[in-house]
Amino acid sequence: MKIESPALLAKKHALPLAWHHEVEFRLQDGETILAHMELDLDTSLRFSSGIVVVTTRRLLARLGGESNWQEWQYRAGLSLVHHDHGGVGTLDLQDDTARLASWRYTLGHNPEALRVIDAFQAQCEVVVHGAQPALPKEQACPRCKAPFDPDQEECAVCATEIHTPPSTWTLFRLWRFAKPYKGQLLLGFLLTLASTAATLVPPYLTMPLMDNVLIPYQNGAPIDIKLVSLYLSGLFGAALLAWILGWGRTYILALASERIGADLRTETFEHLLRMSLEYFGGRRTGDLMARIGSETDRICVFLSLHLLDFATDVLMIVMTALILFSIDPWLALVTLLPLPFIAWMIHVVRDKLRHGFEKIDRIWSEVTNVLADTIPGIRVVKAFAQETREAKRFREANRHNLQINDRVNKVWSLFSPTVTFLTEIGLLVVWAFGIWKVSRGEITVGVLTAFLAYIGRFYTRLDSMSRIVSVTQKAAAGAKRIFDILDHVSSVPEPGNPVHLERIEGRIAIRNIGFRYGNRSVIRGLNLDIKPGEMIGLVGHSGSGKSTLVNLICRFYDVSEGEITVDGIDIRNLRIADYRRRIGMVLQEPFLFFGTIADNIAYGKPDATREEIIAAARAAHAHEFILRLPHGYDSLVGERGQTLSGGERQRISIARALLINPQILILDEATSSVDTTTEKEIQKALDNLVKGRTTIAIAHRLSTLRQADRLVVLDGGQIVEIGSHDELLARKGAYYRLYQAQQRQAENDYGVQVAELEEGTA
């Protein structure tokens, strides 16, 4: 009999080494493991080890510290139920009459719990009802369709594509933005070719000027004025032509590159706007701003200046080399001696610079992130006297940026002088070899002079071309970071064949939906029907899934399973913009843009007339306080509306929602952050807003939901109660406990206020 090592057994069944002996010992003949999960909490929420195992015959479980194993055979009515709250997951085993067992764990083990539930339910069907064993589902990436481990939050294939080091070849991807301007680019290239050729004429004219004028004059012959005038005219004409052509090519290519950069910025920003909220949840604002701003500027400068210089350098080197070989092949070969060494150095240094500049870009985004955090939150910074702390954060980010730049500069500072040194050595070799050839009478002094003039230009361009390695790698790193955004596919995609709706009645059906943030299951198996024009109130503890449900209805995220339909149509089959135009939202923290009051009210309907704006403001009970402002509806609000009070911002937000006349209305804690007097004003505005609309309201104060047609009580991402306010109070269930807790809190707050008032009077 073959003895398998513990490590091999653990790998075979994917069991932890600490448990594989005990689990294997309890397995019966022919019994195999289908799934398992580790437990790291006991029933008192203290850290403790344990395990739940699903086999082909039964469910096994044991908690650390307990000596006995528990087991349950598969039978009808047996089920596993999963929910989480406050960062703790719970797995309950229950039948039709009672809960049989309960296990606790931290949410890092949530994917294991989901697999245990799926395996348990599938095996129950097999044993109890004789169903065919279900084939394991292969989870696929929605972007590349490659399979990946459900424990991972991102596909490894896509992550590899997105997070690969920058390559110079990335710059060729910019052609899709350059293609509309190919005519201008071609004209610029031809002008570059012509201007380069014009700059090569003067050295060529120095040969006859030396051999036919200066050397004969030195030997006693008179100077031919006509010949000198001809040569000097040629030199002046070549210089003038090179200047005109150079100006033309620089202007044309600068215009084209600026437009390429503008298109790149525009498309990147528009692509960002199409991303789901999930994408922005994992990104820093400063980093995205740096990519669209500084990275596109760097690419634009590269295209308008450095790429033009590079093309000029290449043309100059190639054309100079051809002229040198036409004059004297052996002397030309000596001139090209440093080239292999310079090419090798460029190859070695390029990789180091490429990685270095990518690090610089990432570190620079840390600097911009500090700015993006601190400046919008400057009121909080000052309120808590944390100026020194924020200055320290910026100083640290700046110091880190300096360290990375120093490393790159260390490489570059050695490379650039070395190239210059090699070109100087090459020039000395040409001098020596040229003097030797003149002494043998193989070339004239004029040929050597022209040769040296060409070599000066050749080595200057060679040195310039080597220096462009730095800016090329900077541009490649910037292009890579831009295409990281453009290559990212939204997790909320547009439908391939969208369904068009003339009007939405507002009938919403939620069918067995599930959703999770990464490894944390937020909603699972939720069903709800909402009638047109009905007002639904969502209540529950923090983290129960209220806001997540609203986000799914608005399709800010897509459900992981199940479907949400509006008027019988899956919302994933509707164009996102068309669907969201039918939804009005009033948030707990209303966001106002820098601009006028009128512009903010008309944000959802930019072509609204002033009469429509005023009518919406009147309905939102905002007209009176707007008229009290210095410029009325044309008064400017500060960034994020900081010049207005919280209640004023909220009423402008309600007016904004009223103006678009939505069929579906979302109220997310619309009155939770204001005082009682302001709440009454806002409530009057909300009463006007909800009339005739399907309304889903989340409220911190349960008393504000009494007018709702039905209240939906959520707990752990599942519906536990549905009914009216009075019905739910009569049941004395979850809603009753929530309501009583709020009543006691309100009484306590009132008692504290009275005591403080009496103390102040005394």
Side-chain angles (χ1 to χ4, degrees), residues 18 23 62 68 240 253 263 300 320 341 394 468 545 622 701 709:
V23 175
R62 187 189 146 190
N68 296 328
L240 181 62
L253 291 177
D263 292 347
C300 185
T320 302
F341 299 100
F394 187 84
I468 209 169
R701 297 167 183 161
D709 298 305

Side-chain angles (χ1 to χ4, degrees), residues 36 53 155 177 259 263 484 492 565 621 654 731 743:
H36 81 278
V53 181
C155 169
F177 298 97
R259 280 152 182 76
D263 292 347
D484 281 353
V492 181
T565 64
H621 291 260
I654 294 172
R731 293 180 192 173
Q743 289 293 101

Side-chain angles (χ1 to χ4, degrees), residues 161-406:
E161 292 175 355
I162 293 175
H163 302 298
T164 50
S167 170
T168 308
W169 295 103
T170 307
L171 293 172
F172 286 96
R173 298 186 62 186
L174 295 171
W175 172 246
R176 68 185 250 207
F177 298 97
K179 194 174 182 180
Y181 310 101
K182 57 185 178 182
Q184 296 177 9
L185 295 174
L186 177 61
L187 178 59
F189 175 77
L190 294 176
L191 290 175
T192 301
L193 184 64
S195 64
T196 303
T199 58
L200 292 174
V201 172
Y204 201 85
L205 292 178
T206 59
M207 286 191 296
L209 189 62
M210 289 288 293
D211 293 337
N212 299 335
V213 177
L214 295 179
I215 293 178
Y217 173 74
Q218 194 175 26
N219 294 330
I223 293 180
D224 189 341
I225 300 299
K226 292 183 179 179
L227 191 59
V228 171
S229 300
L230 179 63
Y231 290 147
L232 293 179
S233 298
L235 290 171
F236 175 76
L240 181 62
L241 180 62
W243 175 79
I244 294 173
L245 294 173
W247 172 81
R249 59 119 191 215
T250 303
Y251 180 72
I252 291 173
L253 291 177
L255 289 179
S257 64
E258 287 293 340
R259 280 152 182 76
I260 293 171
D263 292 347
L264 183 61
R265 279 190 294 270
T266 300
E267 182 163 339
T268 305
F269 182 68
E270 290 177 351
H271 188 79
L272 270 180
L273 294 178
R274 292 192 292 269
M275 291 290 100
S276 67
L277 293 183
E278 181 182 6
Y279 177 84
F280 293 96
R283 271 76 181 176
R284 299 289 297 272
T285 302
D287 179 59
L288 296 176
M289 290 171 62
R291 295 192 191 200
I292 297 179
S294 60
E295 302 298 357
T296 52
D297 282 344
R298 179 181 293 173
I299 292 171
C300 185
V301 170
F302 170 77
L303 294 175
S304 61
L305 297 177
H306 303 300
L307 185 60
L308 177 61
D309 291 340
F310 179 75
T312 305
D313 293 340
V314 172
L315 289 174
M316 180 69 77
I317 289 173
V318 172
M319 296 172 71
T320 302
L322 292 175
I323 294 174
L324 291 178
F325 274 100
S326 67
I327 297 174
D328 190 289
W330 288 106
L331 202 54
L333 284 174
V334 172
T335 304
L336 301 179
L337 279 178
L339 272 182
F341 299 100
I342 295 174
W344 175 78
M345 288 188 62
I346 290 175
H347 174 72
V348 172
V349 171
R350 182 187 59 185
D351 293 334
K352 294 182 178 180
L353 290 178
R354 184 170 61 225
H355 294 285
F357 287 129
E358 187 196 15
K359 288 181 181 179
I360 288 174
D361 291 337
R362 290 202 304 266
I363 299 306
W364 179 248
S365 68
E366 291 182 10
V367 177
T368 56
N369 283 332
V370 175
L371 295 174
D373 289 342
T374 305
I375 295 175
I378 192 64
R379 178 172 295 186
V380 177
V381 173
K382 290 185 173 297
F384 289 89
Q386 292 300 308
E387 292 91 342
T388 303
R389 176 187 177 186
E390 295 302 328
K392 182 180 179 181
R393 281 182 64 206
F394 187 84
R395 193 182 302 112
E396 286 297 316
N398 212 14
R399 183 184 59 80
H400 197 185
N401 177 63
L402 188 62
Q403 288 177 344
I404 300 299
N405 275 278
D406 286 344

